[in-house]
Amino acid sequence: MTSLPLAGIRVLDLSTVLAAPVTATFLGDFGAEVVKVEEPRRGDFTRGTTPGARSAYWAQEARNKKSITCDLRTERGQRIVRDLIPHFDVVVTNYRPPTLRSWGLDPDRLGELAPNTVLVYVTGYGLTGPYSDRGSFDRIASAFAGLTYVTGETDREPVRSGYSTIDYMAAYLGAFAVVTALYHRDTAGGGGQVVDLALYEAGFRASEDALAAYATTGRVRERAGNRNAQIVPASDFTTGDGRRVSIHAGTDALFRRLSRLMGRPELADSDEYAMRAARARNAEDLYALIGAWAARYTADDLTKLCNEAGIPASPLMSIADIAADPHYRERGTLIDVHDPDFGDVLMPAPLPRLSKTPGSVRSTGPALGAHNPEVYRDILGLSEDTLAALAADGVI
């Protein structure tokens, strides 16, 4: 088997829920040795509601990781972690800056302690700025980034994404920052550095031209439901079997194809619909025409017709639809991974796909503290008696 691209890179996952630990998961998928630090007896949040248990979520997001326990609220636990850090290429954490300072894990302290280590801080509002001491989660980051404000129907209150979108976007940014910083360290002799990533920044960076438009015209992006006021037609339509299909024919060329498919080729030559700006002005009438046409077909038939005509379309997929979809399966976007408690678990494959050095899932989320002896003995040289004493005192 080809060596994984991050083999030999050692990562200390000193974080919980959700962007920071997923950053470490992405690195582990491509070969990094990831050691996860968990709270003794209780473990990580994603283990579920039972202390120390293993949920399917944990099996997925703690894959390719080792688990050690350490109580960071104790002085001895803080010392142990600081002793570990110089042995790692990367440290990923997401505690609030006041907590980091009180535990001696702030960038200044760790930069002196481990000058060749890449220190990744995925915090709610970043390490600087007037809000830096505040806490955050995906929901709060989505609100602060402006993402929630523009999401939803025009006549209803805003809604957040159905998934923790910003957490996962931030995790990809975090992983990108790590490999960039490691490249600089290892090819330019640049040493370690601090990656300062605010959770909201991942969502804000996805705001398209909203800021530039506001800066130049004063226009504030508002909710538009499933439609984009400037790109018409592009929306979701109800089919004859009661499902919804998303169709995008917002360019002039695509709209001409859709008009032919609908049996109304004259629409693409009319003053009302020929050009994108005209379609935007007459969107309601056009959407009524497309909606009536779409209702004549089942979702599967409509999707097939559109794609065969070169018009991007997809049914709105539930997770059950995704699990059964042949494209997801054949492409390998979904993989079955054997877990000792859950049997074969279907989970997302390591992404993105690399042709020569693809990622892999070598293990699912481990039992709580399963690697205490290995890590503490082999890296720090602690004796069995010392480990037993630390465990008895609840430090590990």
Side-chain angles (χ1 to χ4, degrees):
M1 178 180 175
T2 303
S3 177
L4 292 164
L6 296 181
I9 298 297
R10 184 181 277 170
V11 178
L12 188 65
D13 178 359
L14 198 62
S15 62
T16 186
V17 195
L18 185 60
V22 175
T23 296
T25 301
F26 290 158
L27 298 171
D29 281 352
F30 288 91
E33 177 189 0
V34 180
V35 176
K36 171 81 174 179
V37 179
E38 300 188 72
E39 183 179 349
R41 296 175 297 280
R42 189 165 193 83
D44 189 78
F45 181 88
T46 54
R47 284 183 176 274
T49 55
T50 303
R54 296 181 71 256
S55 66
Y57 199 8
W58 172 257
Q60 173 181 296
E61 296 305 358
R63 66 194 192 189
N64 298 325
K65 295 185 181 183
K66 299 176 179 179
S67 170
I68 64 173
T69 53
C70 187
D71 189 348
L72 291 170
R73 295 176 177 84
T74 67
E75 186 177 344
R76 279 193 293 174
Q78 294 160 15
R79 285 204 308 269
I80 288 172
V81 166
R82 286 196 295 270
D83 287 343
L84 279 172
I85 285 172
H87 297 276
F88 285 78
D89 299 282
V90 180
V91 175
V92 183
T93 190
N94 64 347
Y95 294 104
R96 292 190 305 120
T99 302
L100 294 168
R101 291 191 292 269
S102 68
W103 289 353
L105 299 175
D106 54 281
D108 290 341
R109 181 84 177 268
L110 296 191
E112 293 178 359
L113 184 67
N116 287 315
T117 299
V118 175
L119 305 170
V120 184
Y121 292 88
V122 186
T123 59
Y125 294 87
L127 298 173
T128 61
Y131 306 156
S132 59
D133 286 355
R134 296 181 181 181
S136 186
F137 290 98
D138 180 276
R139 173 181 292 275
I140 308 305
S142 182
F144 190 70
L147 183 59
T148 306
Y149 182 85
V150 299
T151 304
E153 296 295 337
T154 57
D155 58 346
R156 300 179 189 175
E157 297 298 320
V159 295
R160 69 177 286 268
S161 169
Y163 291 126
S164 296
T165 304
I166 287 184
D167 275 329
Y168 283 83
M169 290 170 63
Y172 274 118
L173 274 180
F176 167 74
V178 166
V179 296
T180 302
L182 288 175
Y183 181 83
H184 178 258
R185 184 194 71 173
D186 296 340
T187 64
Q193 61 180 296
V194 173
V195 175
D196 177 6
L197 176 59
L199 189 59
Y200 74 87
E201 289 171 334
F204 171 69
R205 189 60 184 88
S207 61
E208 302 173 2
D209 68 335
L211 183 61
Y214 174 72
T216 55
T217 69
R219 178 173 62 87
V220 174
R221 178 79 70 91
E222 300 288 348
R223 291 183 297 287
N226 283 319
R227 301 177 183 178
N228 184 320
Q230 305 303 315
I231 301 175
V232 178
S235 189
D236 302 337
F237 302 91
T238 302
T239 54
D241 54 353
R243 296 172 66 193
R244 297 277 282 177
V245 170
S246 185
I247 298 175
H248 192 312
T251 68
D252 294 343
L254 286 174
F255 180 66
R256 186 169 293 279
R257 293 179 192 173
L258 179 62
S259 298
R260 289 198 299 266
L261 184 62
M262 293 171 59
R264 299 289 303 275
E266 74 278 3
L267 295 176
D269 295 317
S270 68
D271 292 340
E272 291 87 354
Y273 305 127
M275 304 299 290
R276 191 177 83 174
R279 291 195 298 276
R281 289 193 300 270
N282 297 286
E284 290 304 321
D285 290 341
L286 180 56
Y287 279 126
L289 290 172
I290 299 171
W293 170 73
R296 293 160 42 192
Y297 301 94
T298 66
D300 290 342
D301 287 344
L302 181 61
T303 301
K304 185 172 185 290
L305 281 170
C306 287
N307 280 290
E308 287 178 347
I311 302 162
S314 172
L316 274 59
M317 305 278 278
S318 72
I319 198 65
D321 296 327
I322 289 171
D325 188 82
H327 185 83
Y328 274 88
R329 289 283 191 167
E330 185 173 333
R331 181 169 165 76
T333 311
L334 310 179
I335 55 173
D336 284 299
V337 179
H338 186 75
D339 181 88
D341 292 331
F342 302 107
D344 288 338
V345 179
L346 196 60
M347 61 178 64
L351 299 171
R353 188 181 313 278
L354 276 64
S355 63
K356 292 186 177 179
T357 55
S360 68
V361 178
R362 302 170 300 284
S363 63
T364 55
L368 182 62
H371 300 90
N372 278 353
E374 173 188 333
V375 172
Y376 288 133
R377 183 185 60 232
D378 295 351
I379 295 180
L380 294 185
L382 300 183
S383 67
E384 297 297 334
D385 289 343
T386 299
L387 291 178
L390 289 169
D393 291 342
V395 177
I396 65 171

